[in-house]
Amino acid sequence: MAGDFHRVACADCENEQVVFGKAASVVSCAVCGTTLATPTGGEAEFHGEIVETVEAR
Ligand SMILES: [Zn+2]
């Protein structure tokens, strides 16, 4: 189980960014700096809309 990647749409600027599902550190939007995901120790908590989930291979 390698984990999934999620394409998350930023709530503030609609930038879409691919974020690892089990991100170990805070992921910020590359455009506006809004927090897109925060680590929880397992599956990260996402703050934008998950547009697409891509299974890692
Ligand atoms: Zn943004």
Side-chain angles (χ1 to χ4, degrees), residues 10 12-13 15 29 31-32 34:
C10 176
D12 283 355
C13 72
N15 172 48
C29 175
V31 175
C32 71
T34 294

Side-chain angles (χ1 to χ4, degrees), residues 4-11 15-21 36-37 43-54:
D4 295 339
F5 291 87
H6 303 291
R7 188 183 301 276
V8 181
C10 176
N15 172 48
E16 289 184 5
Q17 199 163 318
V18 176
V19 180
F20 186 47
L36 294 181
E43 186 81 357
E45 185 180 339
F46 294 95
H47 301 282
E49 184 187 348
I50 295 175
V51 179
E52 182 185 22
T53 297
V54 183

